Amino acid sequence: MEFPGLVMRIASFLAFALSLLAGPAAAQDKPAPAPEPMRIVAVRSAEPGCEPHCREWLAAQGAITNETLEELRRAIAGLNGRKLPVLIYSTGGTVEVAITMGEIIRQHGLDIAVARTVLTQRDPNLGTIDERSPLCSSACTFVLAGGVRRIIPPQSRIGVHQQTILETETTTVRDYQIVRRREGDRMVERRELVNERKETRTVKQEQATGEIDARIARHLDAMGLDRSFLKLTVSTPADTMRYLRPEEMRSTTIATQLAPATAVFSEQRSDAAPADRRVASAILGNIGFGQHRGRDIRLELAVREGSQPGEVGLRLRLLSGNAPIATRLRTVTIGLPGSAPIVASNDDSSMPEGPMTTEISRERLCSLGDLEQIVVRIDPREDDASAKSWIQTGSASELLLAPALRAAIC
């Protein structure tokens, strides 16, 4: 004879899944609806009368998920070699995906502006640009960092904070029925499975692991951003958001230009041969030289049109933190393998803190490989016997921002 007994719930832990999410979790009775996953589509302007020269761009909007990387690769492949700018609008998402997206955008030499795209109902590939409340926060900023030019409207919300790890605990819950049976003079119990289901619980850690922080730092350095951007990011608690003021967007170099998003369509690079095209003056990023007297020393690298056909002008500003350092009588020497050294100096006595400039063959810069080993040396003024030279040795990608340099001039 069998006797139905108590129903017991036995939970067995199956696995832990780590999900790196850029947005802080908010305490609430009901979970907020998840943001729509990011879609990236090629868009043509729906402005009346723009034909046959309507603007075109890649619209990237929504939350960055594991699937977004394939969205970006598909969209870029569909351009067939054209370099359309990216207009991005996002609250963030998965950190490592965002970093890889930024790297891909830089590899393809694309510019980025912060703005929302409003697609038409009659055609999902036609749209207009909405700049009323541009937004790029949290992990979105790592995508934004990949732009060769980063056009940010001054009214934009560019939000930063520490990255958050959400640890999702997956549990299998099984319901058993205890059945008792008399066998002779004793009772025998056995369990019968009556139901099984999975339950999940999310546990938030307030700060990302050191490994992820280091990956973010390497990414921002490779993209040429000032270290002050990373400092603002890691110093802002994960459950808050710091929106940068326009002057901070400029000083951290997350913005190469504060301007309406439509400025990204000006001075668009053509596919003409290097000798046939002009170079638009642009700041490419910063090269770090460590600390001196408690402040970060860095070179700001910019390009301009050369004075002779086939030449590119390099402009180097020497900064301590955000303050310029006198460059009069200093020199910067860049040693390239198989080439004569490049020497930049400031010969303008009326501007002692002005940039150090030089010119170099466009062909040599366009052939510069990311992994070529170069030496950059900053020498003090000859009359300063107490000062020492600052020397860095590394790859052209690190010390001459080779991907951004090629994208801007080649």
Side-chain angles (χ1 to χ4, degrees):
M1 181 180 295
E2 295 184 349
F3 301 91
L6 298 175
V7 175
M8 297 178 60
R9 174 175 295 175
I10 299 176
S12 58
F13 296 112
L14 293 183
F16 289 96
L18 287 179
S19 176
L20 293 171
L21 300 182
Q28 48 196 8
D29 294 331
K30 294 182 180 180
E36 290 290 325
M38 179 173 281
R39 291 189 62 227
I40 304 176
V41 295
V43 176
R44 189 172 179 85
S45 176
E47 292 180 57
C50 68
E51 295 293 353
H53 304 295
C54 295
R55 293 167 172 163
E56 295 181 87
W57 65 92
L58 290 179
Q61 333 199 105
I64 300 165
T65 68
N66 290 332
E67 289 72 35
T68 310
L69 205 53
E70 187 54 38
E71 278 271 313
L72 177 63
R73 289 183 172 127
R74 174 196 52 76
I76 291 178
L79 298 180
N80 296 319
R82 292 186 302 157
K83 290 186 177 181
L84 297 187
V86 178
L87 268 58
I88 194 165
Y89 183 95
S90 174
T91 57
T94 307
V95 174
E96 292 206 353
V97 172
I99 289 174
T100 305
M101 289 174 66
E103 292 170 345
I104 291 172
I105 286 170
R106 180 62 63 86
Q107 289 167 5
H108 286 83
L110 306 183
D111 298 329
I112 298 185
V114 180
R116 193 167 73 93
T117 300
V118 180
L119 300 175
T120 66
Q121 292 184 348
R122 70 179 187 275
D123 188 337
N125 295 113
L126 292 176
T128 57
I129 299 171
D130 182 357
E131 295 190 51
R132 287 174 295 182
S133 185
L135 172 66
C136 180
S137 62
S138 200
C140 174
T141 61
F142 306 142
V143 182
L144 177 60
V148 176
R149 289 192 302 158
R150 300 178 292 276
I151 311 298
I152 300 181
Q155 73 274 22
S156 298
R157 290 175 294 155
I158 306 299
V160 299
H161 63 174
Q162 294 172 351
Q163 301 311 307
T164 305
I165 289 181
L166 296 186
E167 185 178 78
T168 303
E169 178 185 284
T170 302
T171 305
T172 298
V173 179
R174 298 185 177 95
D175 294 335
Y176 291 88
Q177 178 175 273
I178 305 301
V179 178
R180 296 185 178 90
R181 171 182 297 171
R182 182 178 296 279
E183 294 182 357
D185 59 354
R186 64 189 182 92
M187 296 291 293
V188 178
E189 291 186 354
R190 61 184 176 84
R191 295 181 304 171
E192 291 184 353
L193 180 66
V194 294
N195 187 40
E196 179 176 306
R197 64 190 179 280
K198 294 186 183 296
E199 294 181 354
T200 59
R201 184 173 69 96
T202 299
V203 181
K204 184 179 73 170
Q205 298 180 14
E206 289 300 322
Q207 192 169 0
T209 64
E211 181 181 350
I212 293 300
D213 282 342
R215 174 88 193 275
I216 292 170
R218 290 194 301 270
H219 173 64
L220 297 176
D221 282 347
M223 298 300 103
L225 264 69
D226 189 88
R227 277 295 179 96
S228 59
F229 184 81
L230 179 63
K231 290 179 180 177
L232 286 178
T233 298
V234 300
S235 65
T236 304
D239 58 354
T240 63
M241 187 75 74
R242 175 170 181 168
Y243 292 103
L244 304 185
R245 300 187 301 273
E247 58 268 26
E248 291 175 320
M249 299 177 198
R250 184 185 292 111
S251 65
T252 60
T253 64
I254 187 64
T256 61
Q257 186 178 350
L258 290 177
T262 51
V264 78
F265 298 101
S266 65
E267 301 175 351
Q268 283 199 25
R269 295 179 298 274
S270 70
D271 295 324
D276 298 329
R277 50 160 295 187
R278 294 187 60 82
V279 176
S281 297
I283 297 173
L284 301 185
N286 294 274
I287 304 163
F289 273 78
Q291 287 203 334
H292 177 64
R293 297 177 181 173
R295 305 189 74 179
D296 290 328
I297 301 298
R298 55 193 174 88
L299 276 175
E300 180 188 83
L301 175 63
V303 293
R304 57 174 174 77
E305 185 72 17
S307 60
Q308 300 295 325
E311 290 192 343
V312 174
L314 299 184
R315 188 188 70 188
L316 297 157
R317 282 205 312 154
L318 187 56
L319 304 170
S320 175
N322 291 324
I325 299 177
T327 55
R328 175 69 176 156
L329 302 179
R330 292 180 186 267
T331 59
V332 172
T333 303
I334 303 172
L336 301 178
S339 302
I342 306 168
V343 180
S345 61
N346 174 16
D347 297 324
D348 189 349
S349 58
S350 67
M351 295 184 63
E353 294 179 347
M356 294 169 281
T357 61
T358 189
E359 296 193 352
I360 186 173
S361 160
R362 185 199 304 256
E363 182 180 358
R364 179 64 183 99
L365 290 178
C366 288
S367 66
L368 188 66
D370 290 355
L371 300 181
E372 285 192 56
Q373 292 297 295
I374 67 173
V375 178
V376 180
R377 188 178 76 240
I378 305 174
D379 290 319
R381 297 176 303 182
E382 292 182 0
D383 60 354
D384 190 350
S386 63
K388 296 181 179 179
S389 298
W390 293 315
I391 303 174
Q392 288 273 45
T393 301
S395 70
S397 178
E398 297 168 330
L399 298 185
L400 208 51
L401 309 178
L405 185 63
R406 289 194 305 270
I409 70 173
C410 301

